[in-house]
Amino acid sequence: MKKVLLVINCIILAVGTCGGPLVMRLYFIKGGKRIWLSSWLQTAAWPINFIPLVISYFYRRNNNNNTTSKLILMTPRIFMATIGIGILQGFTNYFYAYGIGKLPVSTSGLLFATQLAFTAFFAFLIVKLKFTPYSVNSVFLLTIGAVVLALRSGGDQPEGEPKKEYILGFVMTLASAALTGLIFPLVELIYKKTQQTITYTFVLEFQTLYCFVATVLATIGMIINKDFQAISREAKTFELGEDKYYIVIIWSAIILQFYFLGSIGVIYSASSLVCGILVSVLLPLTEVLAVFLYGEKFNAEKGVSLALSLWGFASYFYGDYNKTENSNQSPAIEMIDKINCTP
């Protein structure tokens, strides 16, 4: 079942990772200017999670299982830890939205790919991640892919964008990558330290709460910045039209929720490093989509980066496959040895 959930969550994560930046960038390209609004949209669709949560609750209730039929599975201790994760995610969303607003998708994508290095570093410190030659090779290849792309980032400054804003976009995107690299291992640590059974329902509760907290933080920012009053005015000047303005922001919220739901699910089904690797390997694919949708150039550096990313992705999962095969064979080999040693 965990492998099935892993595949499903990988698909959900792929939709959110590839589609989210493209829809967010469309908002800014066509006249949107509200950073806090864009930050708010990243987690505003959290109520969608109530659908599977309600289904899960009635299923558990019908089974008459006293331990799992509680309305909320999360303990007070986990509840408070989740609030902390939500606050971190709220700042991450703002930094990421700022980068998307000031940089082309290709540039913000290559910078955000560095989250894999941050994830590996923090996973080593926080959850005592054990590196294998395959995972080290994967991290190295994906990091080199980001560096290759960085070599051409100087010519990506959008026309009319002040140099100061462009540089600040770089810094903000790197900050969002660092915080994302910190959040993934922290979530994994919470899963490991909790003194209760970790079910997928628990994961959904966790993701719903921290997205709610991040949304509250963004809402405060919107109120201070008077973004709610500006939405109707911005819609009237949107290049695609007023109706399509609302379609863009609604779909932004839905697609970006896939990213959070998928990432939390992948951490539950595998690990924080697997989640980081998936996000990194999908970012060059996002850049390929940006070439077709927004006319961005696909040069040799992007081709090399894509090849390195796919190689790194294959390296990690080949190592994971070997590890699984060896662990499955060990009990059988041990039993054969015992039989052979029996007089």
Side-chain angles (χ1 to χ4, degrees):
M1 180 57 70
K2 253 194 172 182
K3 288 186 178 180
V4 173
L5 283 174
L6 178 59
V7 172
I8 293 172
N9 281 291
C10 284
I11 295 171
I12 295 173
L13 181 61
V15 173
T17 302
C18 293
L22 294 172
V23 181
M24 286 179 69
R25 185 60 184 165
L26 178 64
Y27 163 78
F28 288 107
I29 287 175
K30 299 302 179 181
K33 299 184 183 299
R34 297 286 161 176
I35 304 295
W36 276 114
L37 171 61
S38 185
S39 174
W40 184 81
L41 290 173
Q42 291 180 58
T43 51
W46 61 267
I48 291 175
N49 295 332
F50 281 126
I51 298 172
L53 282 173
V54 169
I55 294 172
S56 173
Y57 171 72
F58 283 107
Y59 174 78
R60 287 182 281 120
R61 190 177 178 183
N62 290 336
N63 285 345
N64 294 320
N65 190 331
N66 292 330
T67 21
T68 59
S69 60
K70 295 189 298 183
L71 182 61
I72 299 175
L73 300 180
M74 198 176 290
T75 63
R77 184 181 176 186
I78 299 299
F79 185 87
M80 296 306 297
T82 308
I83 291 176
I85 296 290
I87 293 171
L88 283 176
Q89 189 61 61
F91 285 109
T92 304
N93 291 348
Y94 179 80
F95 296 154
Y96 184 72
Y98 195 99
I100 286 287
K102 304 301 179 183
L103 306 176
V105 174
S106 57
T107 306
S108 60
L110 70 91
L111 290 172
F112 193 73
T114 58
Q115 61 81 25
L116 179 62
F118 289 113
T119 300
F121 173 72
F122 286 121
F124 175 76
L125 294 178
I126 296 172
V127 295
K128 309 303 179 187
L129 173 73
K130 293 181 180 179
F131 287 104
T132 67
Y134 295 103
S135 60
V136 171
N137 184 54
S138 178
V139 171
F140 175 75
L141 289 170
L142 290 166
T143 305
I144 291 298
V147 171
V148 168
L149 279 174
L151 295 175
R152 60 167 297 281
S153 61
D156 274 354
Q157 185 173 344
E159 190 175 341
E161 187 78 59
K163 187 69 175 179
K164 182 180 177 181
E165 295 288 322
Y166 183 72
I167 293 173
L168 190 55
F170 259 76
V171 175
M172 290 291 201
T173 307
L174 284 173
S176 71
L179 282 178
T180 299
L182 174 62
I183 288 171
F184 285 167
L186 285 176
V187 171
E188 186 175 351
L189 180 66
I190 290 173
Y191 288 172
K192 288 183 175 181
K193 293 294 183 181
T194 182
Q195 297 177 350
Q196 64 184 92
T197 304
I198 302 297
T199 63
Y200 196 64
T201 302
F202 172 88
V203 172
L204 283 172
E205 285 184 4
F206 181 88
Q207 192 255 345
T208 302
L209 176 59
Y210 94 79
C211 282
F212 168 74
V213 173
T215 305
V216 170
L217 185 65
T219 302
I220 295 171
M222 288 184 67
I223 292 172
I224 296 173
N225 203 43
K226 298 182 179 180
D227 280 7
F228 286 108
Q229 297 92 319
I231 289 176
S232 58
R233 297 195 303 270
E234 192 172 71
K236 292 176 182 177
T237 59
F238 197 62
E239 291 182 23
L240 297 178
E242 188 172 353
D243 293 338
K244 289 186 178 178
Y245 173 85
Y246 293 106
I247 292 174
V248 167
I249 62 174
I250 289 171
W251 275 105
S252 292
I254 294 172
I255 293 174
L256 286 162
Q257 191 62 28
F258 283 8
Y259 167 79
F260 292 104
L261 183 60
S263 61
I264 293 299
V266 170
I267 295 172
Y268 162 73
S269 305
S271 70
S272 56
L273 183 61
V274 172
C275 185
I277 287 173
L278 279 171
V279 171
S280 292
V281 79
L282 288 167
L283 287 171
L285 297 179
T286 305
E287 295 174 3
V288 173
L289 292 173
V291 169
F292 292 102
L293 296 175
Y294 302 143
E296 294 187 6
K297 295 179 180 179
F298 189 85
N299 52 25
E301 288 86 352
K302 288 186 179 180
V304 171
S305 177
L306 179 60
L308 288 171
S309 297
L310 294 174
W311 185 7
F313 181 77
S315 174
Y316 180 85
F317 279 96
Y318 179 74
D320 187 63
Y321 171 78
N322 278 346
K323 183 180 177 182
T324 304
E325 286 294 307
N326 291 335
S327 62
N328 289 338
Q329 289 176 7
S330 293
I333 293 171
E334 187 178 341
M335 182 62 70
I336 291 171
D337 289 341
K338 286 182 179 179
I339 293 171
N340 290 336
C341 291
T342 304

